[in-house]
Amino acid sequence: MKSYLLSSLAVRLASGTAEGFRTAQSGDWLVWEPGAWRPPGKATLIAVPGVSDPAKTGEALVLALEPKKDSPGQVTLGRGDECAITINDGTLSTVHLSFMKGPDAGWTVRDAGSKNGSTLDGAKLDPGQPRPVRSGAKLQAGQVNFTFYDVDGLMARLKAG
């Protein structure tokens, strides 16, 4: 799985040409958005000097939507090792989401029957029902947040800072 910190891609874009970036980073992407960490059960949180908002201290991770060789046109996301995108988060199912690339080069996403559910732009994904995904779409799988981008959408986000 090809992945980058969002900040490292911003440096690449700023130090080169847009066409060079578009060629090198062609394809479609999921941005794993940083989220607020919530401790399980009862816990004591200690303030860290200089950090006013813990939710803003993380950095986004950019993940390439690239199918595994044994499942062309499909990218699975979940906790399981069999997934093309594996994320070790307790709110994700072994296989949580499935992305399918259609013949028209567009993507669809479906919830794979997850325990904690998924949403696309705030609307619940019904298990097994594929829905089209557009650049800039917000996905939530369990408690993990993503944004889907084509390369031009990703470039626009990087330029916006």
Side-chain angles (χ1 to χ4, degrees), residues 2-66:
K2 189 166 46 170
S3 62
Y4 304 94
L5 289 175
L6 190 67
S7 61
S8 71
L9 285 181
V11 168
R12 286 182 189 196
L13 178 59
S15 65
T17 66
E19 195 53 44
F21 182 88
R22 187 177 284 109
T23 301
Q25 307 306 328
S26 65
D28 299 303
W29 301 87
L30 273 183
V31 175
W32 179 2
E33 305 291 354
W37 179 79
R38 291 182 297 274
K42 292 184 180 182
T44 302
L45 295 179
I46 300 171
V48 177
V51 177
S52 59
D53 186 355
K56 294 182 181 177
T57 60
E59 183 166 3
L61 185 63
V62 183
L63 309 160
L65 276 176
E66 296 177 338

Short mmCIF file of all heavy atoms in Angstrom, two decimals, residues 2-66:
data_model
loop_
_atom_site.label_atom_id
_atom_site.label_comp_id
_atom_site.label_asym_id
_atom_site.label_seq_id
_atom_site.Cartn_x
_atom_site.Cartn_y
_atom_site.Cartn_z
N LYS A 2 0.64 2.13 -0.93
CA LYS A 2 1.37 3.38 -1.03
C LYS A 2 0.70 4.40 -0.13
O LYS A 2 -0.51 4.61 -0.22
CB LYS A 2 1.37 3.83 -2.50
CG LYS A 2 2.26 4.99 -2.79
CD LYS A 2 2.51 5.22 -4.28
CE LYS A 2 1.31 5.18 -5.16
NZ LYS A 2 1.55 5.62 -6.53
N SER A 3 1.49 5.03 0.76
CA SER A 3 0.92 6.03 1.66
C SER A 3 1.95 7.12 1.94
O SER A 3 3.16 6.88 1.87
CB SER A 3 0.46 5.38 2.98
OG SER A 3 1.56 4.81 3.64
N TYR A 4 1.45 8.31 2.24
CA TYR A 4 2.29 9.47 2.50
C TYR A 4 1.65 10.31 3.60
O TYR A 4 0.43 10.35 3.72
CB TYR A 4 2.39 10.38 1.27
CG TYR A 4 2.88 9.71 0.03
CD1 TYR A 4 1.98 9.19 -0.90
CD2 TYR A 4 4.23 9.61 -0.24
CE1 TYR A 4 2.42 8.58 -2.06
CE2 TYR A 4 4.69 9.00 -1.41
CZ TYR A 4 3.77 8.49 -2.31
OH TYR A 4 4.21 7.89 -3.46
N LEU A 5 2.48 11.03 4.35
CA LEU A 5 1.95 12.07 5.22
C LEU A 5 1.49 13.21 4.32
O LEU A 5 2.15 13.52 3.32
CB LEU A 5 3.00 12.56 6.21
CG LEU A 5 3.38 11.59 7.32
CD1 LEU A 5 4.53 12.15 8.14
CD2 LEU A 5 2.18 11.29 8.20
N LEU A 6 0.39 13.82 4.66
CA LEU A 6 -0.15 14.92 3.86
C LEU A 6 0.89 16.03 3.70
O LEU A 6 1.06 16.58 2.62
CB LEU A 6 -1.44 15.45 4.49
CG LEU A 6 -2.25 16.43 3.67
CD1 LEU A 6 -2.83 15.73 2.44
CD2 LEU A 6 -3.36 17.03 4.49
N SER A 7 1.63 16.33 4.76
CA SER A 7 2.63 17.40 4.70
C SER A 7 3.75 17.08 3.72
O SER A 7 4.26 17.98 3.05
CB SER A 7 3.21 17.67 6.09
OG SER A 7 3.85 16.52 6.59
N SER A 8 4.13 15.81 3.59
CA SER A 8 5.20 15.47 2.64
C SER A 8 4.73 15.64 1.20
O SER A 8 5.51 16.04 0.33
CB SER A 8 5.73 14.05 2.89
OG SER A 8 4.78 13.08 2.50
N LEU A 9 3.45 15.36 0.93
CA LEU A 9 2.93 15.60 -0.41
C LEU A 9 2.82 17.08 -0.70
O LEU A 9 3.03 17.52 -1.84
CB LEU A 9 1.57 14.92 -0.60
CG LEU A 9 1.61 13.41 -0.78
CD1 LEU A 9 0.18 12.88 -0.99
CD2 LEU A 9 2.49 12.98 -1.93
N ALA A 10 2.50 17.89 0.30
CA ALA A 10 2.44 19.34 0.11
C ALA A 10 3.80 19.88 -0.29
O ALA A 10 3.92 20.73 -1.18
CB ALA A 10 1.94 20.02 1.38
N VAL A 11 4.88 19.36 0.33
CA VAL A 11 6.24 19.78 -0.02
C VAL A 11 6.56 19.37 -1.46
O VAL A 11 7.12 20.15 -2.23
CB VAL A 11 7.27 19.19 0.97
CG1 VAL A 11 8.69 19.37 0.49
CG2 VAL A 11 7.07 19.80 2.35
N ARG A 12 6.20 18.15 -1.85
CA ARG A 12 6.44 17.70 -3.22
C ARG A 12 5.73 18.58 -4.24
O ARG A 12 6.28 18.92 -5.27
CB ARG A 12 5.97 16.26 -3.41
CG ARG A 12 6.86 15.25 -2.77
CD ARG A 12 6.36 13.86 -3.04
NE ARG A 12 7.11 12.92 -2.24
CZ ARG A 12 7.13 11.63 -2.46
NH1 ARG A 12 6.42 11.11 -3.44
NH2 ARG A 12 7.84 10.83 -1.70
N LEU A 13 4.49 18.94 -3.94
CA LEU A 13 3.73 19.78 -4.86
C LEU A 13 4.35 21.17 -4.95
O LEU A 13 4.51 21.70 -6.04
CB LEU A 13 2.26 19.87 -4.42
CG LEU A 13 1.35 20.76 -5.27
CD1 LEU A 13 1.32 20.27 -6.72
CD2 LEU A 13 -0.05 20.79 -4.69
N ALA A 14 4.73 21.74 -3.80
CA ALA A 14 5.30 23.09 -3.78
C ALA A 14 6.67 23.16 -4.46
O ALA A 14 7.03 24.19 -5.02
CB ALA A 14 5.41 23.58 -2.34
N SER A 15 7.43 22.06 -4.43
CA SER A 15 8.79 22.09 -4.98
C SER A 15 8.87 21.64 -6.44
O SER A 15 9.95 21.61 -7.01
CB SER A 15 9.71 21.22 -4.12
OG SER A 15 9.31 19.87 -4.19
N GLY A 16 7.74 21.30 -7.04
CA GLY A 16 7.75 20.85 -8.44
C GLY A 16 6.64 21.50 -9.23
O GLY A 16 6.07 22.52 -8.82
N THR A 17 6.35 20.90 -10.35
CA THR A 17 5.26 21.43 -11.18
C THR A 17 3.99 20.64 -10.90
O THR A 17 4.03 19.49 -10.47
CB THR A 17 5.60 21.29 -12.68
OG1 THR A 17 5.67 19.89 -13.01
CG2 THR A 17 6.92 21.97 -13.01
N ALA A 18 2.87 21.29 -11.19
CA ALA A 18 1.58 20.61 -11.01
C ALA A 18 1.50 19.39 -11.92
O ALA A 18 1.02 18.33 -11.50
CB ALA A 18 0.43 21.57 -11.29
N GLU A 19 1.96 19.51 -13.15
CA GLU A 19 1.90 18.38 -14.08
C GLU A 19 2.80 17.23 -13.61
O GLU A 19 2.43 16.06 -13.70
CB GLU A 19 2.27 18.81 -15.50
CG GLU A 19 1.89 17.80 -16.55
CD GLU A 19 0.41 17.38 -16.49
OE1 GLU A 19 -0.47 18.25 -16.32
OE2 GLU A 19 0.14 16.17 -16.59
N GLY A 20 3.97 17.55 -13.08
CA GLY A 20 4.87 16.52 -12.54
C GLY A 20 4.24 15.81 -11.36
O GLY A 20 4.33 14.58 -11.23
N PHE A 21 3.60 16.57 -10.48
CA PHE A 21 2.92 15.98 -9.33
C PHE A 21 1.78 15.09 -9.81
O PHE A 21 1.61 13.96 -9.34
CB PHE A 21 2.37 17.08 -8.41
CG PHE A 21 1.71 16.54 -7.17
CD1 PHE A 21 2.45 16.29 -6.02
CD2 PHE A 21 0.35 16.27 -7.14
CE1 PHE A 21 1.85 15.79 -4.87
CE2 PHE A 21 -0.26 15.77 -6.00
CZ PHE A 21 0.49 15.53 -4.87
N ARG A 22 0.98 15.59 -10.75
CA ARG A 22 -0.17 14.84 -11.27
C ARG A 22 0.29 13.50 -11.87
O ARG A 22 -0.35 12.47 -11.67
CB ARG A 22 -0.91 15.67 -12.32
CG ARG A 22 -2.20 15.05 -12.79
CD ARG A 22 -2.95 15.94 -13.78
NE ARG A 22 -3.60 17.05 -13.08
CZ ARG A 22 -3.20 18.33 -13.15
NH1 ARG A 22 -2.18 18.67 -13.89
NH2 ARG A 22 -3.86 19.25 -12.48
N THR A 23 1.42 13.52 -12.58
CA THR A 23 1.95 12.29 -13.18
C THR A 23 2.46 11.33 -12.10
O THR A 23 2.15 10.15 -12.12
CB THR A 23 3.07 12.63 -14.17
OG1 THR A 23 2.54 13.48 -15.18
CG2 THR A 23 3.65 11.38 -14.80
N ALA A 24 3.22 11.86 -11.15
CA ALA A 24 3.81 11.01 -10.10
C ALA A 24 2.77 10.45 -9.14
O ALA A 24 2.92 9.35 -8.62
CB ALA A 24 4.87 11.79 -9.33
N GLN A 25 1.71 11.22 -8.88
CA GLN A 25 0.71 10.81 -7.89
C GLN A 25 -0.64 10.53 -8.55
O GLN A 25 -1.69 10.75 -7.95
CB GLN A 25 0.55 11.90 -6.82
CG GLN A 25 1.82 12.33 -6.16
CD GLN A 25 2.63 11.21 -5.56
OE1 GLN A 25 2.10 10.22 -5.09
NE2 GLN A 25 3.93 11.35 -5.58
N SER A 26 -0.62 10.07 -9.79
CA SER A 26 -1.88 9.80 -10.47
C SER A 26 -2.67 8.74 -9.71
O SER A 26 -2.13 7.99 -8.92
CB SER A 26 -1.62 9.33 -11.90
OG SER A 26 -0.94 8.09 -11.87
N GLY A 27 -3.94 8.73 -9.95
CA GLY A 27 -4.79 7.76 -9.27
C GLY A 27 -5.70 8.44 -8.28
O GLY A 27 -5.81 9.66 -8.23
N ASP A 28 -6.36 7.63 -7.48
CA ASP A 28 -7.33 8.13 -6.51
C ASP A 28 -6.84 7.81 -5.11
O ASP A 28 -6.10 6.85 -4.91
CB ASP A 28 -8.69 7.50 -6.79
CG ASP A 28 -9.19 7.88 -8.19
OD1 ASP A 28 -9.30 9.08 -8.47
OD2 ASP A 28 -9.46 6.97 -8.99
N TRP A 29 -7.29 8.62 -4.15
CA TRP A 29 -6.70 8.59 -2.82
C TRP A 29 -7.76 8.66 -1.73
O TRP A 29 -8.81 9.27 -1.91
CB TRP A 29 -5.77 9.80 -2.66
CG TRP A 29 -4.68 9.80 -3.66
CD1 TRP A 29 -4.72 10.33 -4.93
CD2 TRP A 29 -3.40 9.23 -3.52
NE1 TRP A 29 -3.52 10.11 -5.57
CE2 TRP A 29 -2.70 9.44 -4.72
CE3 TRP A 29 -2.76 8.55 -2.48
CZ2 TRP A 29 -1.40 9.00 -4.92
CZ3 TRP A 29 -1.46 8.11 -2.68
CH2 TRP A 29 -0.79 8.34 -3.88
N LEU A 30 -7.43 8.08 -0.58
CA LEU A 30 -8.20 8.26 0.65
C LEU A 30 -7.28 9.01 1.61
O LEU A 30 -6.13 8.63 1.79
CB LEU A 30 -8.55 6.94 1.30
CG LEU A 30 -9.81 6.22 0.88
CD1 LEU A 30 -10.00 4.96 1.71
CD2 LEU A 30 -11.03 7.10 0.97
N VAL A 31 -7.80 10.06 2.22
CA VAL A 31 -7.06 10.75 3.27
C VAL A 31 -7.66 10.32 4.59
O VAL A 31 -8.85 10.51 4.84
CB VAL A 31 -7.13 12.29 3.10
CG1 VAL A 31 -6.44 12.98 4.27
CG2 VAL A 31 -6.49 12.70 1.77
N TRP A 32 -6.82 9.67 5.40
CA TRP A 32 -7.22 9.27 6.75
C TRP A 32 -7.06 10.50 7.62
O TRP A 32 -5.95 10.94 7.91
CB TRP A 32 -6.34 8.12 7.20
CG TRP A 32 -6.59 7.58 8.57
CD1 TRP A 32 -7.54 7.95 9.48
CD2 TRP A 32 -5.84 6.54 9.20
NE1 TRP A 32 -7.44 7.20 10.62
CE2 TRP A 32 -6.39 6.33 10.48
CE3 TRP A 32 -4.75 5.77 8.81
CZ2 TRP A 32 -5.90 5.39 11.36
CZ3 TRP A 32 -4.26 4.83 9.70
CH2 TRP A 32 -4.82 4.63 10.95
N GLU A 33 -8.18 11.09 8.00
CA GLU A 33 -8.17 12.35 8.73
C GLU A 33 -7.83 12.11 10.20
O GLU A 33 -8.30 11.14 10.79
CB GLU A 33 -9.54 13.03 8.62
CG GLU A 33 -10.03 13.26 7.21
CD GLU A 33 -9.24 14.30 6.43
OE1 GLU A 33 -8.34 14.96 7.00
OE2 GLU A 33 -9.51 14.44 5.22
N PRO A 34 -7.02 13.00 10.78
CA PRO A 34 -6.73 12.84 12.21
C PRO A 34 -8.00 13.09 13.02
O PRO A 34 -8.85 13.88 12.61
CB PRO A 34 -5.67 13.92 12.49
CG PRO A 34 -5.84 14.92 11.40
CD PRO A 34 -6.40 14.17 10.21
N GLY A 35 -8.13 12.41 14.10
CA GLY A 35 -9.31 12.57 14.94
C GLY A 35 -8.91 12.70 16.39
O GLY A 35 -7.77 12.46 16.78
N ALA A 36 -9.87 13.10 17.18
CA ALA A 36 -9.63 13.23 18.62
C ALA A 36 -9.53 11.83 19.22
O ALA A 36 -10.34 10.97 18.93
CB ALA A 36 -10.77 14.00 19.27
N TRP A 37 -8.53 11.62 20.03
CA TRP A 37 -8.38 10.34 20.71
C TRP A 37 -9.22 10.38 21.97
O TRP A 37 -9.20 11.35 22.73
CB TRP A 37 -6.91 10.10 21.05
CG TRP A 37 -6.70 8.82 21.77
CD1 TRP A 37 -6.65 7.58 21.23
CD2 TRP A 37 -6.52 8.64 23.18
NE1 TRP A 37 -6.45 6.64 22.19
CE2 TRP A 37 -6.36 7.26 23.40
CE3 TRP A 37 -6.48 9.49 24.26
CZ2 TRP A 37 -6.16 6.73 24.67
CZ3 TRP A 37 -6.28 8.97 25.52
CH2 TRP A 37 -6.13 7.59 25.71
N ARG A 38 -10.00 9.32 22.16
CA ARG A 38 -10.83 9.22 23.36
C ARG A 38 -10.37 7.99 24.13
O ARG A 38 -10.40 6.87 23.60
CB ARG A 38 -12.30 9.10 22.97
CG ARG A 38 -12.85 10.37 22.38
CD ARG A 38 -14.32 10.25 22.06
NE ARG A 38 -14.61 9.24 21.06
CZ ARG A 38 -14.58 9.46 19.75
NH1 ARG A 38 -14.25 10.61 19.28
NH2 ARG A 38 -14.86 8.49 18.90
N PRO A 39 -10.00 8.18 25.41
CA PRO A 39 -9.55 7.03 26.18
C PRO A 39 -10.71 6.11 26.50
O PRO A 39 -11.83 6.57 26.67
CB PRO A 39 -8.98 7.66 27.46
CG PRO A 39 -9.71 8.95 27.59
CD PRO A 39 -9.98 9.41 26.18
N PRO A 40 -10.46 4.80 26.58
CA PRO A 40 -11.52 3.88 26.96
C PRO A 40 -11.82 3.99 28.45
O PRO A 40 -10.93 4.20 29.25
CB PRO A 40 -10.91 2.51 26.62
CG PRO A 40 -9.43 2.72 26.70
CD PRO A 40 -9.20 4.16 26.30
N GLY A 41 -13.09 3.89 28.79
CA GLY A 41 -13.48 3.88 30.21
C GLY A 41 -13.10 5.16 30.94
O GLY A 41 -13.03 6.23 30.36
N LYS A 42 -12.82 5.01 32.21
CA LYS A 42 -12.42 6.16 33.03
C LYS A 42 -10.92 6.33 32.92
O LYS A 42 -10.16 5.39 33.10
CB LYS A 42 -12.82 5.96 34.48
CG LYS A 42 -14.32 5.96 34.69
CD LYS A 42 -14.64 5.85 36.15
CE LYS A 42 -16.14 5.86 36.35
NZ LYS A 42 -16.52 5.80 37.74
N ALA A 43 -10.50 7.56 32.64
CA ALA A 43 -9.08 7.84 32.53
C ALA A 43 -8.85 9.29 32.90
O ALA A 43 -9.75 10.12 32.84
CB ALA A 43 -8.59 7.58 31.11
N THR A 44 -7.63 9.59 33.28
CA THR A 44 -7.24 10.95 33.58
C THR A 44 -6.39 11.45 32.44
O THR A 44 -5.41 10.81 32.05
CB THR A 44 -6.42 10.99 34.89
OG1 THR A 44 -7.22 10.45 35.94
CG2 THR A 44 -6.02 12.41 35.23
N LEU A 45 -6.78 12.59 31.88
CA LEU A 45 -6.00 13.20 30.81
C LEU A 45 -5.18 14.33 31.39
O LEU A 45 -5.67 15.12 32.20
CB LEU A 45 -6.92 13.73 29.71
CG LEU A 45 -7.72 12.69 28.95
CD1 LEU A 45 -8.60 13.37 27.91
CD2 LEU A 45 -6.81 11.68 28.29
N ILE A 46 -3.94 14.40 30.98
CA ILE A 46 -3.04 15.44 31.46
C ILE A 46 -2.78 16.40 30.32
O ILE A 46 -2.44 15.99 29.21
CB ILE A 46 -1.72 14.82 31.97
CG1 ILE A 46 -2.03 13.84 33.10
CG2 ILE A 46 -0.74 15.90 32.38
CD1 ILE A 46 -0.86 13.01 33.53
N ALA A 47 -2.93 17.69 30.59
CA ALA A 47 -2.69 18.71 29.56
C ALA A 47 -1.20 18.77 29.24
O ALA A 47 -0.35 18.68 30.12
CB ALA A 47 -3.19 20.06 30.04
N VAL A 48 -0.91 18.91 27.95
CA VAL A 48 0.47 19.05 27.50
C VAL A 48 0.71 20.53 27.21
O VAL A 48 -0.04 21.14 26.44
CB VAL A 48 0.72 18.21 26.23
CG1 VAL A 48 2.12 18.40 25.71
CG2 VAL A 48 0.44 16.74 26.51
N PRO A 49 1.76 21.13 27.82
CA PRO A 49 2.02 22.55 27.57
C PRO A 49 2.20 22.82 26.08
O PRO A 49 2.88 22.08 25.37
CB PRO A 49 3.33 22.81 28.32
CG PRO A 49 3.42 21.72 29.33
CD PRO A 49 2.72 20.54 28.72
N GLY A 50 1.55 23.89 25.60
CA GLY A 50 1.67 24.27 24.20
C GLY A 50 0.70 23.59 23.26
O GLY A 50 0.63 23.92 22.09
N VAL A 51 -0.06 22.62 23.75
CA VAL A 51 -1.03 21.93 22.90
C VAL A 51 -2.42 22.30 23.40
O VAL A 51 -2.82 21.90 24.48
CB VAL A 51 -0.83 20.40 22.94
CG1 VAL A 51 -1.91 19.71 22.11
CG2 VAL A 51 0.55 20.02 22.44
N SER A 52 -3.13 23.10 22.60
CA SER A 52 -4.44 23.57 23.05
C SER A 52 -5.57 22.66 22.60
O SER A 52 -6.60 22.61 23.22
CB SER A 52 -4.69 25.00 22.55
OG SER A 52 -4.62 25.01 21.14
N ASP A 53 -5.39 21.97 21.47
CA ASP A 53 -6.46 21.12 20.95
C ASP A 53 -5.87 19.79 20.50
O ASP A 53 -5.31 19.71 19.40
CB ASP A 53 -7.18 21.81 19.80
CG ASP A 53 -8.38 21.02 19.32
OD1 ASP A 53 -8.62 19.91 19.81
OD2 ASP A 53 -9.10 21.53 18.44
N PRO A 54 -5.98 18.72 21.31
CA PRO A 54 -5.39 17.45 20.93
C PRO A 54 -5.90 16.92 19.60
O PRO A 54 -5.20 16.19 18.91
CB PRO A 54 -5.78 16.50 22.07
CG PRO A 54 -6.29 17.35 23.16
CD PRO A 54 -6.67 18.66 22.57
N ALA A 55 -7.11 17.29 19.19
CA ALA A 55 -7.65 16.79 17.93
C ALA A 55 -6.88 17.33 16.74
O ALA A 55 -6.89 16.75 15.67
CB ALA A 55 -9.12 17.18 17.80
N LYS A 56 -6.19 18.45 16.92
CA LYS A 56 -5.45 19.05 15.82
C LYS A 56 -3.97 18.68 15.84
O LYS A 56 -3.20 19.19 15.03
CB LYS A 56 -5.61 20.57 15.86
CG LYS A 56 -7.04 21.01 15.60
CD LYS A 56 -7.16 22.50 15.60
CE LYS A 56 -8.61 22.90 15.36
NZ LYS A 56 -8.80 24.33 15.42
N THR A 57 -3.54 17.83 16.73
CA THR A 57 -2.13 17.50 16.82
C THR A 57 -1.73 16.38 15.89
O THR A 57 -0.57 16.20 15.61
CB THR A 57 -1.72 17.13 18.26
OG1 THR A 57 -2.49 15.99 18.67
CG2 THR A 57 -1.95 18.29 19.21
N GLY A 58 -2.68 15.61 15.40
CA GLY A 58 -2.37 14.53 14.48
C GLY A 58 -2.18 15.05 13.07
O GLY A 58 -2.47 16.19 12.76
N GLU A 59 -1.68 14.19 12.21
CA GLU A 59 -1.50 14.56 10.81
C GLU A 59 -2.23 13.56 9.93
O GLU A 59 -2.26 12.37 10.22
CB GLU A 59 -0.03 14.61 10.43
CG GLU A 59 0.13 15.06 9.00
CD GLU A 59 1.54 15.45 8.62
OE1 GLU A 59 2.44 15.32 9.45
OE2 GLU A 59 1.71 15.86 7.47
N ALA A 60 -2.78 14.05 8.86
CA ALA A 60 -3.51 13.20 7.92
C ALA A 60 -2.54 12.29 7.18
O ALA A 60 -1.41 12.68 6.87
CB ALA A 60 -4.30 14.05 6.95
N LEU A 61 -2.99 11.09 6.88
CA LEU A 61 -2.23 10.12 6.11
C LEU A 61 -2.96 9.89 4.80
O LEU A 61 -4.17 9.65 4.79
CB LEU A 61 -2.12 8.81 6.89
CG LEU A 61 -1.26 7.71 6.28
CD1 LEU A 61 0.20 8.16 6.19
CD2 LEU A 61 -1.35 6.44 7.11
N VAL A 62 -2.24 9.98 3.69
CA VAL A 62 -2.81 9.84 2.36
C VAL A 62 -2.54 8.42 1.88
O VAL A 62 -1.40 7.97 1.84
CB VAL A 62 -2.21 10.87 1.39
CG1 VAL A 62 -2.84 10.78 0.03
CG2 VAL A 62 -2.35 12.29 1.96
N LEU A 63 -3.61 7.69 1.54
CA LEU A 63 -3.53 6.27 1.17
C LEU A 63 -3.97 6.09 -0.28
O LEU A 63 -5.05 6.56 -0.66
CB LEU A 63 -4.43 5.45 2.08
CG LEU A 63 -4.26 5.66 3.58
CD1 LEU A 63 -5.48 5.19 4.34
CD2 LEU A 63 -3.02 4.96 4.05
N ALA A 64 -3.15 5.41 -1.07
CA ALA A 64 -3.51 5.16 -2.47
C ALA A 64 -4.59 4.10 -2.55
O ALA A 64 -4.54 3.09 -1.86
CB ALA A 64 -2.28 4.70 -3.25
N LEU A 65 -5.58 4.33 -3.41
CA LEU A 65 -6.60 3.32 -3.67
C LEU A 65 -6.08 2.41 -4.78
O LEU A 65 -6.32 2.64 -5.96
CB LEU A 65 -7.92 3.98 -4.09
CG LEU A 65 -8.82 4.45 -2.98
CD1 LEU A 65 -10.04 5.16 -3.54
CD2 LEU A 65 -9.25 3.31 -2.10
N GLU A 66 -5.32 1.42 -4.37
CA GLU A 66 -4.72 0.47 -5.31
C GLU A 66 -5.15 -0.94 -4.94
O GLU A 66 -4.87 -1.40 -3.84
CB GLU A 66 -3.20 0.57 -5.28
CG GLU A 66 -2.67 1.91 -5.75
CD GLU A 66 -1.16 2.01 -5.64
OE1 GLU A 66 -0.54 1.26 -4.86
OE2 GLU A 66 -0.61 2.87 -6.34
#
